[in-house]
Amino acid sequence: MMKNLNKTTKDNLITYGMVIAVYIIVEILLKAGMISSLLQGLLVPLCVYVVLAVSLNLVVGISGELSLGHAGFMCVGAFAGAFFSNSVKDVITMGGVRIFLALLIGAAAAAVFGLLIGIPVLRLRGDYLAIVTLAFGEIIKNVVNVFYVGIDGSGIHISMKDKVSMGLAADGDVIINGPQGITGTPKDSTFTIGILLILVTLFIVLNLINSRDGRAIRSIRDNRIAAESVGLNITKYKLMAFSVSASLAGAAGVLYAHNLASLQASKFSFNTSILVLVFVVLGGIGNIRGSIIAAVVLTLLPELLRALNDYRMLIYAIVLIAMMLFTSSPAGMAFRERFSLKRLRERTKEQKEEQ
């Protein structure tokens, strides 16, 4: 059956299979009690970072735009989803249903912000785009910091001064408490939900890349003038990639928010955007599978090396440099190209022998 599938479909199935295989192995190890509590606490953040890396690669690798505002979209999704869950936790008691709805709301809110920001920003290119998206990410974080939002019998109350100014009734609840953020969000995030979100993200991104719209996005990346000359709507396709990426980052933010006891906007600094960009670059720009591997390795590595306290960051830096040389240096790229050609010749030879 696999022989009848084209190369793209096979590659996609291999990617899905890798994720599912890792999930099964981890679940078996968890049941056997062979994973420490420290690593168990990293399982959901790992899923969050994988989703962020894959979604950012859609913009950086496929669309060819350098965006540094991913943490801002993650912040929007996290607060939208956490606000919803805190508002309905007494009404919707099933955690699975609650987080599913929160994921939809967080993704939708981030997509709206992606559209609003993308319309003016995507007219820029290169470093200018990176600077402006970085600024928007910081603006979103600081705007969320000044909001006080509560809910009582008469509805939602909002203030940008303090929680007293909201005029909540005695039975009202403060949900967003300015710089203190949101506390008491139901911890509905699980490793299983994280894996499902990764699979959904891969399905959306891989199908978009291999669709007609994806080919249009890549043609704009490769030669903007030629794409425009054949009638492609540059703004439409760039905005499509940007808003889909923002939406998925928002969903990752929801998963992240439902794994914490306390959520503050300060957690979504530009360092988060830089970290996710590092995953994309080290995994290979445009390489979805590479982004997954880089996100997992670079998230786990500092914790696995914690026993080597004096040399932990030195080893981490060496691994970063080695990965950069392998994925981005001319020698590393030439080696991978020769390896790919060798595999292609072997596959062609096998097919001829079968015939």
Side-chain angles (χ1 to χ4, degrees), residues 55 58-59 63 70 73 106-119 122 204 208 217 235-251:
S55 61
L58 180 61
V59 173
S63 183
H70 228 49
F73 300 125
V112 170
F113 272 78
L115 286 170
L116 294 176
I117 292 172
I119 290 170
L122 290 176
I204 293 170
L208 176 59
I217 292 168
T235 303
K236 170 191 168 183
Y237 288 111
K238 288 172 69 175
L239 197 58
M240 178 188 297
F242 195 75
S243 57
V244 169
S245 176
S247 177
L248 294 173

Side-chain angles (χ1 to χ4, degrees), residues 16-28 191 195 296:
Y16 298 137
M18 283 173 52
V19 174
I20 295 170
V22 169
Y23 171 70
I24 293 171
I25 292 169
V26 171
E27 284 294 317
I28 291 172
F191 181 54
I195 290 293
V296 172

Side-chain angles (χ1 to χ4, degrees), residues 74-96:
M74 185 184 176
C75 179
V76 170
F79 273 84
F83 179 84
F84 169 78
S85 292
N86 276 274
S87 301
V88 302
K89 61 185 178 183
D90 294 330
V91 179
I92 303 176
T93 56
M94 293 180 63

Side-chain angles (χ1 to χ4, degrees), residues 297-335:
V297 171
L298 296 181
T299 303
L300 285 178
L301 195 60
E303 300 304 326
L304 294 176
L305 297 174
R306 191 168 290 278
L308 304 171
N309 194 38
D310 295 335
Y311 305 101
R312 183 164 62 100
M313 296 315 295
L314 175 62
I315 297 172
Y316 183 74
I318 291 171
V319 171
L320 281 178
I321 294 169
M323 289 183 69
M324 180 68 78
L325 290 174
F326 182 73
T327 58
S328 302
S329 69
M333 293 171 70
F335 171 78

Side-chain angles (χ1 to χ4, degrees), residues 66-298:
L66 181 57
S67 171
L68 294 176
H70 228 49
F73 300 125
M74 185 184 176
C75 179
V76 170
F79 273 84
F83 179 84
F84 169 78
S85 292
N86 276 274
S87 301
V88 302
K89 61 185 178 183
D90 294 330
V91 179
I92 303 176
T93 56
M94 293 180 63
V97 175
R98 188 167 53 221
I99 194 170
F100 173 73
L101 295 174
L103 284 167
L104 294 179
I105 291 169
V112 170
F113 272 78
L115 286 170
L116 294 176
I117 292 172
I119 290 170
V121 162
L122 290 176
R123 300 175 186 274
L124 304 173
R125 301 184 198 175
D127 297 340
Y128 300 104
L129 176 62
I131 292 169
V132 174
T133 51
L134 176 62
F136 269 114
E138 290 298 298
I139 289 169
I140 288 171
K141 182 189 74 173
N142 287 295
V143 167
V144 171
N145 257 337
V146 301
F147 268 96
Y148 295 83
V149 182
I151 190 167
D152 61 15
S154 60
I156 297 174
H157 299 256
I158 301 174
S159 172
M160 296 181 69
K161 185 178 179 182
D162 54 44
K163 59 183 179 181
V164 177
S165 304
M166 289 189 291
L168 282 174
D171 60 342
D173 293 321
V174 178
I175 296 179
I176 302 179
N177 193 13
Q180 296 181 31
I182 299 177
T183 56
T185 304
K187 296 192 74 173
D188 295 330
S189 293
T190 64
F191 181 54
T192 301
I193 293 173
I195 290 293
L196 289 174
L197 182 59
I198 290 173
L199 291 172
V200 170
T201 301
L202 286 172
F203 179 80
I204 293 170
V205 172
L206 292 175
N207 278 278
L208 176 59
I209 291 172
N210 297 312
S211 68
R212 181 179 179 181
D213 292 333
R215 290 190 289 272
I217 292 168
R218 282 181 288 174
S219 68
I220 293 168
R221 175 199 63 190
D222 295 337
N223 194 321
R224 181 190 178 98
I225 296 173
E228 201 166 13
S229 68
V230 296
L232 290 180
N233 189 329
I234 306 295
T235 303
K236 170 191 168 183
Y237 288 111
K238 288 172 69 175
L239 197 58
M240 178 188 297
F242 195 75
S243 57
V244 169
S245 176
S247 177
L248 294 173
V254 175
L255 188 67
Y256 179 77
H258 286 72
N259 191 50
L260 298 174
S262 177
L263 179 70
Q264 292 88 31
S266 58
K267 295 181 184 291
F268 305 98
S269 66
F270 72 92
N271 289 326
T272 304
S273 295
I274 297 297
L275 179 62
V276 179
L277 183 62
V278 168
F279 296 154
V280 172
V281 173
L282 292 183
I285 294 177
N287 187 341
I288 301 299
R289 203 180 300 163
S291 295
I292 297 172
I293 296 170
V296 172
V297 171
L298 296 181

